[in-house]
Amino acid sequence: LDRKTGRTKWRRELPDGQAREPKQFFGAWGTPLLRKNQDRDELIIGLPKHVLAINPSTGKNLWTCQGLGPLVYTNPLASGDKVFAMSGYHGAAIGIRVPADASGDITANRLWTSSRKPPQRIGSGIAVDGHIYILNEPGIATCIRMDTGEPVWKERIGKGNSWGSMSLIGNHIYVTNTQGQTLVLAPTPRFKLIATNPLGEITRGSPAFANGQVFIRTYEHLWCIGE
């Protein structure tokens, strides 16, 4: 959309990302990632079975990479020339090296794909300083090496499951689980849980941050937390 007028600049169907019948477990719910790949803008979308990058100005394909499962809930992640995407319902996670002039099918550029049966993933992680951090749906936080996809640590944190996405604010990772506990982690390859802050109310959302305040929507209230 044109942000000044609201008019549609371009629109296209993505048939490869659509279920063929209502009962088919097939689809994607993540938010596209807009990133700068040297001089080129790329809009990266995690879809069933593949990752797709399009030109945000035209909607035309730039590149695609195969390797995801049929269900994708998380947002794609990027760091430098690397892009990462994760499936839900025990589907694979993949790491991809994306050159500045990437075009067409670049599945051969995959750095790794998860070899073990991964857990369910709903909330998105973050990629920072050579590592990926994510809180999986069962409540297991994981640190993964960007270059190899190998886990550095796995730790259960908080009580209950997690649908929330991580945010990196300053030098802390924040993520809120379904029991309303906001968990604060250090973004380091050595596990460190800094704090557990309970609200005592169910939530499946993620905290939002603005002007030194934290906003958290639970099933009962909208909370604003600040100085």
Side-chain angles (χ1 to χ4, degrees):
L1 304 177
D2 185 313
R3 66 180 178 181
K4 294 181 180 179
T5 66
R7 293 176 181 169
T8 299
K9 299 284 287 185
W10 55 261
R11 178 187 177 95
R12 56 175 291 197
E13 296 290 328
L14 299 175
D16 290 346
Q18 300 172 11
R20 297 182 180 179
E21 56 185 36
K23 293 184 179 180
Q24 184 182 10
F25 287 89
F26 194 85
W29 291 265
T31 300
L33 170 69
L34 182 64
R35 74 157 194 158
K36 177 74 74 173
N37 187 356
Q38 294 193 24
D39 295 330
R40 184 174 75 180
D41 290 326
E42 296 178 346
L43 190 68
I44 301 172
I45 310 168
L47 293 169
K49 305 292 186 178
H50 68 293
V51 180
L52 174 66
I54 63 178
N55 183 326
S57 297
T58 65
K60 303 296 184 183
N61 285 9
L62 294 173
W63 57 263
T64 185
C65 179
Q66 305 299 315
L68 293 180
L71 294 164
V72 180
Y73 300 93
T74 67
N75 305 338
L77 304 174
S79 179
D81 65 347
K82 302 179 184 69
V83 171
F84 310 95
M86 298 183 176
S87 314
Y89 275 95
H90 315 299
I94 59 175
I96 318 158
R97 188 179 300 279
V98 183
D101 59 351
S103 178
D105 189 334
I106 63 168
T107 304
N109 286 23
R110 273 198 324 229
L111 293 167
W112 50 266
T113 183
S114 53
S115 56
R116 304 176 185 87
K117 185 179 179 181
Q120 165 68 311
R121 306 182 184 98
I122 295 178
S124 301
I126 60 168
V128 59
D129 294 337
H131 295 86
I132 298 165
Y133 301 87
I134 189 167
L135 180 58
N136 298 314
E137 194 272 345
I140 307 295
T142 307
C143 172
I144 302 166
R145 290 189 179 91
M146 284 185 190
D147 289 339
T148 65
E150 290 296 316
V152 179
W153 51 256
K154 294 182 180 180
E155 298 285 345
R156 176 171 291 281
I157 58 174
K159 295 180 179 179
N161 298 351
S162 177
W163 287 29
S165 294
M166 288 182 164
S167 297
L168 181 65
I169 306 296
N171 198 36
H172 293 86
I173 298 171
Y174 296 83
V175 61
T176 301
N177 65 18
T178 56
Q179 297 304 306
Q181 297 173 319
T182 298
L183 306 153
V184 187
L185 300 161
T188 64
R190 184 173 181 177
F191 173 73
K192 183 179 180 181
L193 179 64
I194 297 170
T196 300
N197 299 314
L199 291 176
E201 297 179 355
I202 294 173
T203 179
R204 288 187 168 88
S206 305
F209 300 81
N211 301 320
Q213 296 173 322
V214 187
F215 298 88
I216 301 175
R217 183 196 63 188
T218 67
Y219 275 31
E220 288 79 24
H221 299 94
L222 175 64
W223 295 78
C224 176
I225 301 166
E227 290 282 338

